[in-house]
Amino acid sequence: MEFRIADTFTASLARLTADEQKAVKTTAFDLQLNPASPGIQLHRLGAARDKNFWSARVGRDVRLIVHRTDASVLLCYVSHHDAAYRWAERRKLERHPTTGAAQIVEIRETVREIEIPAYVAAEPEAKPALAPLFSDTPEDDLLGYGVPPEWLNDVRADTEDTLFDIADHLPAEAAEALLELATGGTPRVPVVVAADADPFSHPDAQRRFRLTTNVEELERALEYPWEKWLVFLHPAQWSVVEREHGGPARVSGSAGTGKTVVALHRADHLARSDPPARVLLTTFSDTLASLLERKLDLLVGGEPEVRGQITVRAIDRVALELYASALGQAVLASDADIASLIGAASKAAKEHRFADHFLEAEWHEVVDAWQLSTWEDYRDVARLGRRTRIGEKQRELLWSIFERVRADLKNRELITLPGVFAWATEHLLASDVRPFDAAVVDEAQDIGGPQLRFLAALAGDRPNSLFFAGDLGQRIFQTPFSWRSLGVHVRGRSHTLRLNYRTSHQIRRQADLLLPPELSDVDGNSEQRRGTVSAFNGPFPMITTFASHAEESRFVGAWLRDRLSDGVPPDGMGIIVRSKLEMDRALAAAEEANLQGTVLDGANDGESGSISICTMHLAKGLEFRNVAVLACDDEVIPSQPRIEAITDEADLEDVYNTERHLLYVACTRARDQLLVTGVQPTSEFLDDLQALQTGAHPSSGLS
C-alpha cells in the first residue's frame, strides 16, 4: 500500500502547537506502519462528499484527515475536530479531466460567498466596473492550466479585485497560470498524462503529494513543514535543474523565487548523474553555507551515497583548505593589519592628497582583488567598480604606496585572502587533478573576482561544471566587475525565475519599488524584474513612523503580540535593523512584546521559542512568516558613515544602490506580514515604499 503526504497536511501541521505536532507525528508513523491497526481510531466522514475521507483521532480534540483506498493512504489535513471536519466536507480528491493530475479540489457549492478581503477591498469612492480578466480565454486553455471544471464560471468572471481570492480556492498550478496570464505573461505549457496513467505521477501532483516508502522519509518530511518547498519543487523549475549546459550557466530571479531551491536540486541532480559527479555546493559566507547544508540534508539526508557526492563549503573555506593541504595554514592579514601598513606607507610616501580610507578601498577593490604585482599591472588595470578617475602620475604615486604594503606583507609572512585564491587558482591550472567535477554557487551576486577566477579554474572547460544562482538586486557585498573578463560567459545560458512562492504579492510588489525594473551587470546581462508573480495573497505591508524610540518600541511590541495571537510562534518572526548600532531598539521592541530575543551573529540562526533579531547583512538567506524592519531613520539607512567616507561623489551611487539592496533584502525576508518603522526624520527610502501604503490601493495592482 502506498503512503503519501499532501502539502495541505504539512501546512496545517505547522499551525499546531509543538505538543500537538508530536502527537500527530506519532499517529502518522503508526498509520504508515499499519493503516489497519486496531489502535488507530479511524472514522469515516459521512458528511464528506468524497467518501474516501476518514478521520483519525489524535488526542482529545485533534483530528487527522486521511484519504484512504485499498491501494493508498494519503495524509491530507490536521486540525482541531470541527475545523478538520469542515475542511474535509468542503473538498474532494480527484483526477483532473484534462491534465490527468491528482488534485484536492474545493467543492464550489460549499463556498457560500467569495468575499474580497479587507486588504484588497475596493476604495470607498465609486469606481467603474472592472472587466473580467479571462472572458476571452478559451475554456480548453483554462482546463489545460488545471482549473477544475466546476470553477470555470468563477474564473471567467474574475476581475482584478477578485483574482487573488478566487486563486486561493484553486489548485496551485491553476492559480499560478491565472496570475501569469493576468500580468501579461505566458503560462508554461501544460503537461497532460495518459488517461490510464497514475494521477499521482503527474509533475503537478508530485509537488503536492509526496510518496514516502519508509519511516525515515516520513520523519524528514514531517520534521520541517515550514520548508516543505524543498521536497515540492515547482515543475517549472525542473527544466532549469536538469538542463544540459556546454559552459557556465546562471539562474536569476527576485527574492523568494526559489533560486536556492534550484541550486540545491541542481547539486542533487549532478550527484546522481552517470557517472556521479563530485559536486561543490558553495556560497560566499560560512553562515549561508551552514544553511545550505541543513537544507541539503533535508533533501537527500536519507541517501548517504548521494549526500556523499556533495561537499558544502563557503568558497573562502575551500581555497584556505586547499592552501593548507599544500603549504600549511595560511596566516591571513586582518583589515587592521592592512590599515596599519597602508597608514605607514602613506606617511613614508611624498606628499599626496589621498585619504587613508580611499587608499584602503583602492587596495581591497583593485590592487589586492586583482593581485596586481607590478607597476605596469596597476597602470593598465581598468579599475571597474571604482568611480574616482586618477591619471598616470597619480597612479604612479599610489603604486609606490601599495608596492611598500606588498613588501611589508611578505616580510611579515602574511597573506591576504585574494592572495590565497591567486595561489589556489594557479595550483589548479597547473594540475590535471580537480577536487570537484562541478560547482554550484548560491548567492552568486556577492562572489568576488578572486573567487570567480578560482571557480573558473576549478571548472575548466567541462560541460555542466559551473552553475550560478543569484539576484543582482540583492548584491550587498561586492562591487560590480566583469565576469566575462575572467572567462565566465553566461550569456545564452541564463534563466530567470518568475514565480515567487515565499513572499506575498503585496510584500513583493512593495519591496520591488526600492529597485529599478531592470538591472544589468557589467557585461550587459540584464535581469528583468517585471513579470514576477507571487503565488499567494496577503495584507499590505505596514509602514509607520514615530516621534521617539519609545513610541516605536511600544507599537512594534503590540504588533508582535498581535502576531502571536494570530498563532504565529516566536521563532516564526524576525526583527531586522540596519546595523549593530540599532540593536538596542530591536531588543526593546521584543521586550515590549514579552518575547525572548535571540541575536543572530552569523554562527547561529535562531532558537525555538525565541524571536530572531539580526542586522540586514546577516538577514541574507533567512525567512520568517512575519518581519519587523526597525529604525529606518534618516542617516541610518542609507548609512551616514558610509556616505561620509566617500571621497568622490562618483562613488555615491554605488553606496545608495547597495543600501537600497539591503532594505530590499530585509523586507523580502517576510512571507505573510511586514512592518517597516522609523523615527522622524525617516529614511528617504521610505518615500518609495509609502507609494503603496495601505489605503492607496492602485488600480493596476497586478503589475
Side-chain angles (χ1 to χ4, degrees):
M1 178 176 288
E2 293 182 329
F3 190 90
R4 292 183 174 87
I5 61 172
D7 61 349
T8 50
F9 170 75
T10 53
S12 61
L13 178 65
R15 291 192 284 269
L16 299 180
T17 66
D19 287 342
E20 290 170 340
Q21 289 187 32
K22 184 177 180 180
V24 171
K25 291 173 184 179
T26 299
T27 302
F29 293 143
D30 291 343
L31 273 169
Q32 185 183 46
L33 292 173
N34 182 10
S37 170
I40 301 174
Q41 299 181 39
L42 283 172
H43 172 70
R44 188 188 293 273
L45 299 181
R49 191 76 60 88
D50 190 324
K51 298 307 178 183
N52 289 317
F53 273 144
W54 294 69
S55 125
R57 181 185 177 91
V58 182
R60 181 176 179 180
D61 185 49
V62 176
R63 296 294 182 270
L64 173 58
I65 303 301
V66 179
H67 191 274
R68 184 184 180 192
T69 67
D70 292 339
S72 69
V73 171
L74 172 66
L75 304 185
C76 296
Y77 193 77
V78 64
S79 188
H80 295 277
H81 180 284
D82 292 349
Y85 276 46
R86 282 196 302 271
W87 185 92
E89 289 165 2
R90 296 180 178 184
R91 285 163 179 83
K92 57 186 176 182
L93 177 67
E94 64 182 15
R95 173 200 288 266
H96 190 276
T98 298
T99 68
Q103 296 178 330
I104 293 179
V105 177
E106 189 167 4
I107 299 169
R108 179 61 188 88
E109 302 88 77
T110 66
V111 182
R112 292 173 175 79
E113 182 179 0
I114 295 178
E115 298 179 354
I116 303 172
Y119 43 80
V120 294
E123 297 178 13
E125 61 268 21
K127 289 170 51 178
L130 296 174
L133 293 169
F134 311 112
S135 58
D136 295 331
T137 305
E139 183 175 297
D140 287 346
D141 288 355
L142 295 175
L143 289 171
Y145 295 139
V147 175
E150 63 192 87
W151 283 90
L152 281 173
N153 290 337
D154 295 280
V155 169
R156 299 297 289 274
D158 216 351
T159 68
E160 287 187 11
D161 276 348
T162 62
L163 173 61
F164 278 104
D165 196 65
I166 293 289
D168 286 343
H169 295 278
L170 301 177
E173 65 269 28
E176 292 158 8
L178 297 182
L179 292 169
E180 184 78 25
L181 284 172
T183 54
T186 303
R188 62 186 176 87
V189 178
V191 175
V192 177
V193 298
D196 57 350
D198 178 5
F200 290 103
S201 69
H202 191 284
D204 284 318
Q206 289 182 350
R207 64 165 157 152
R208 55 177 165 258
F209 304 115
R210 185 185 183 190
L211 178 67
T212 61
T213 58
N214 54 56
V215 172
E216 288 74 22
E217 285 187 11
L218 178 61
E219 184 174 10
R220 290 202 311 274
L222 297 182
E223 191 64 29
Y224 300 95
W226 175 239
E227 299 187 30
K228 67 176 188 277
W229 44 268
L230 277 180
V231 291
F232 297 114
L233 186 68
H234 189 276
Q237 296 170 340
W238 274 117
S239 62
V240 181
V241 169
E242 298 178 343
R243 190 171 300 169
E244 296 290 311
H245 297 288
R250 180 170 70 183
V251 61
S252 61
S254 61
T257 51
K259 300 177 296 299
T260 296
V261 180
V262 168
L264 289 162
H265 280 272
R266 178 69 175 180
D268 175 45
H269 172 70
L270 294 172
R272 297 175 189 273
S273 59
D274 187 17
R278 298 165 301 160
V279 183
L280 170 65
L281 178 59
T282 188
T283 186
F284 68 86
S285 76
D286 287 329
T287 302
L288 291 178
S290 178
L291 288 172
L292 281 175
E293 188 156 32
R294 285 198 292 276
K295 292 173 180 176
L296 181 68
D297 287 341
L298 172 62
L299 185 64
V300 297
E303 301 174 84
E305 290 186 2
V306 176
R307 180 64 182 87
Q309 292 295 120
I310 306 172
T311 299
V312 186
R313 291 280 193 286
I315 186 64
D316 294 352
R317 191 79 51 195
V318 176
L320 286 167
E321 289 175 358
L322 188 61
Y323 185 96
S325 67
L327 302 177
Q329 194 72 33
V331 182
L332 293 178
S334 67
D335 288 345
D337 292 331
I338 297 299
S340 176
L341 293 178
I342 286 177
S346 175
K347 290 178 181 177
K350 62 182 179 180
E351 188 174 337
H352 62 83
R353 64 177 180 83
F354 298 108
D356 282 354
H357 54 255
F358 171 84
L359 295 173
E360 291 170 22
E362 187 77 0
W363 167 268
H364 288 298
E365 297 178 17
V366 180
V367 178
D368 195 36
W370 300 103
Q371 287 293 287
L372 306 179
S373 58
T374 68
W375 153 241
E376 289 76 19
D377 290 340
Y378 184 61
R379 179 192 63 195
D380 300 334
V381 73
R383 298 178 72 249
L384 284 173
R386 297 289 283 162
R387 302 293 187 91
T388 306
R389 295 177 179 274
I390 53 176
E392 185 168 333
K393 288 188 177 298
Q394 293 171 310
R395 288 200 188 202
E396 189 173 2
L397 176 56
L398 287 168
W399 181 250
S400 70
I401 296 172
F402 297 136
E403 190 173 37
R404 177 165 178 168
V405 173
R406 286 176 51 84
D408 287 345
L409 284 171
K410 185 175 181 180
N411 291 336
R412 297 189 184 193
E413 297 185 338
L414 296 175
I415 189 171
T416 64
L417 195 56
V420 171
F421 273 104
W423 176 89
T425 300
E426 293 303 317
H427 176 78
L428 288 177
L429 292 174
S431 173
D432 294 331
V433 179
R434 297 288 190 276
F436 303 102
D437 301 311
V440 177
V441 186
D442 193 30
E443 301 289 355
Q445 75 281 346
D446 280 316
I447 292 292
Q451 291 97 329
L452 188 66
R453 188 189 292 114
F454 170 74
L455 288 166
L458 179 68
D461 57 359
R462 301 186 305 278
N464 299 316
S465 57
L466 264 185
F467 186 88
F468 301 95
D471 174 17
L472 293 176
Q474 297 185 66
R475 180 180 59 80
I476 58 178
F477 289 104
Q478 294 295 331
T479 54
F481 65 93
S482 171
W483 286 27
R484 188 170 54 197
S485 68
L486 299 179
V488 179
H489 302 262
V490 296
R491 187 181 294 275
R493 291 187 293 270
S494 295
H495 182 87
T496 301
L497 301 175
R498 300 293 186 192
L499 177 64
N500 182 319
Y501 52 86
R502 186 185 72 199
T503 302
S504 74
H505 168 74
Q506 284 73 13
I507 294 174
R508 176 197 58 77
R509 188 175 177 227
Q510 200 137 13
D512 278 349
L513 294 175
L514 292 165
L515 305 177
E518 180 178 347
L519 294 169
S520 299
D521 62 18
V522 171
D523 297 323
N525 299 306
S526 296
E527 293 182 4
Q528 292 282 347
R529 308 188 77 78
R530 288 194 181 96
T532 298
V533 176
S534 292
F536 63 96
N537 203 22
F540 277 108
M542 182 182 295
I543 304 162
T544 311
T545 61
F546 304 91
S548 69
H549 294 176
E551 289 183 15
E552 179 187 51
S553 296
R554 286 193 295 270
F555 183 91
V556 175
W559 186 84
L560 293 172
R561 288 195 300 272
D562 288 343
R563 304 291 73 76
L564 288 170
S565 65
D566 291 339
V568 179
D571 49 23
M573 299 187 286
I575 302 176
I576 304 175
V577 291
R578 169 63 182 82
S579 70
K580 292 181 180 179
L581 296 175
E582 297 79 46
M583 195 62 69
D584 286 346
R585 292 165 68 175
L587 290 168
E591 186 176 352
E592 285 283 349
N594 295 318
L595 287 172
Q596 177 184 343
T598 298
V599 177
L600 309 187
D601 57 6
N604 65 326
D605 60 348
E607 297 178 6
S608 177
S610 175
I611 187 170
S612 295
I613 302 173
C614 66
T615 64
M616 292 181 180
H617 282 92
L618 289 179
K620 180 70 75 71
L622 301 179
E623 58 186 65
F624 305 95
R625 298 185 188 182
N626 300 319
V627 168
V629 182
L630 272 62
C632 295
D633 308 348
D634 185 36
E635 299 190 357
V636 171
I637 186 166
S639 167
Q640 190 64 22
R642 286 194 67 193
I643 293 174
E644 291 175 351
I646 294 173
T647 57
D648 192 308
E649 289 189 6
D651 294 325
L652 188 61
E653 182 181 354
D654 280 341
V655 170
Y656 267 78
N657 284 343
T658 53
E659 292 287 308
R660 281 181 173 274
H661 294 177
L662 273 172
L663 185 55
Y664 173 81
V665 167
C667 291
T668 53
R669 300 311 93 191
R671 172 182 170 84
D672 299 320
Q673 295 201 45
L674 170 67
L675 171 66
V676 182
T677 68
V679 170
Q680 300 165 352
T682 54
S683 168
E684 60 194 270
F685 295 161
L686 295 193
D687 292 339
D688 292 333
L689 291 175
Q690 295 276 15
L692 288 181
Q693 183 82 359
T694 303
H697 178 56
S699 59
S700 57
L702 301 174
S703 60

